[in-house]
Structure formats: C-alpha cells, structure tokens
Amino acid sequence: ERHTDENHPYDGSGLMPRTCTDVPCLIVFLVSCAGIVGVAAHAFQTGDPKRLTHGYDYKGRLCGVDDEVRHKPMMYWCGAGTVGEDGVPSALDLNFPTCVRACPGDTSTEVVCLGVEKAKVEASGTAPYKATRMEITQGDVGQMSYPTMPMGGMYCVPRLDHSRLPGGDHLTASLLGPDGPVGSPYARFVRAVGG
C-alpha cells in the first residue's frame, strides 16, 4: 500500500504487495502443535502425572498417593554404612528411599527400610550337567532415624545442626549435590513447580 503523503521519502513504489511467504513452515508448526496437544492428552488419560511430582519408595509406591502410603507423604533416605555415637549414619542409601508420615527430628524414631540382601548359592550335579541354584532374599528392617527436616513439602533432608536450614554436612551434600536425588535438575524443577 502506498503512502498518501507525497512528501514522505518512502512512498512504497517498487515494492511487491505483502503476502504470507512461509505457508509450508506455518503448516509444519500447526501440525507440531497439534501433535504436542495429542501426546499431552494421551499422557493425562493413560498415565499418572503424580509420578512426576511425588517421590516413590523402594517398593515403587508413590509417597502420599498410593493406598499403602497415602498417610506417608514425605520421602526419607535410610542410613547406610556405620552409625556414629551420635546416632547419625556415615552415609545414606540414595537408591532406596522410604515413605514416612513426617520427617523425624531425632534419633529415636524407628523407620522401615530395605534390608541388606542375602544370597544363597547351591551347586549340584557333575560336569557337564552342573547346575547352580541362587536364592536372593531381601526384606524390610526397622532402623533408627537421624535428625531431618522437611524440604519442598516432599523430602526429608538431614538437619545435623540446630539451625532451620539444611547444613553443609556430607549427608546433606549427598542428597542436595548435583549428583544427588534432590539436587538433580529434574528434582529442582519439580520443587519449583510444586509437588
């Protein structure tokens, strides 16, 4: 469209009329948007979005969601290794957390944790028909707690000093560090969005 002001330096002469030049890109964009909506709808219909925002224990139960642990919304990591005189473990079992009703604040609360696995191997027969039978068992064990505090409404993190913030101790660092389950980018995203 030409300017109506004859004194304007750009009167539009010599320009082609404006049209949409990226119709194929627009079609690809709209198809992609429809695909994203379709995948999201399918995920919400057939999946469980709570699996993204709630922690699960060593039995695969969602803390605070599944029937067996509905009253246990907090995720707690049991101690591993040796226990000091103060009742604090030397390490945490980061692979097998458990669900608890509330974060224990002392060393006198019993928490149900995954026990150490036991293997029993039996060999029988003679060559070339040797057979080996292996039986691995693992069960729940009661373990005394260490002092923790809630974080993000879903995690129990160590509180080894009496401040209101998680300390810089080795247990907290193992959870909140970049390689820890609470310090990973995904866990930080879930805490920011809300559980």
Side-chain angles (χ1 to χ4, degrees), residues 13 50 62 65 80 98 101 135 189:
S13 60
K50 290 181 182 175
L62 290 179
V65 176
T98 189
R101 183 179 310 272
E135 182 178 320
F189 173 75

Side-chain angles (χ1 to χ4, degrees), residues 104-117:
D106 55 25
T107 59
S108 62
T109 305
E110 185 174 70
V111 179
V112 177
C113 300
L114 184 64
V116 177
E117 63 186 32

Side-chain angles (χ1 to χ4, degrees), residues 76 83 85-89 102-112 142-148:
Y76 173 90
V83 177
E85 290 181 21
D86 57 357
V88 175
C103 294
D106 55 25
T107 59
S108 62
T109 305
E110 185 174 70
V111 179
V112 177
Q143 183 182 100
M144 299 314 284
S145 64
Y146 55 90
T148 61

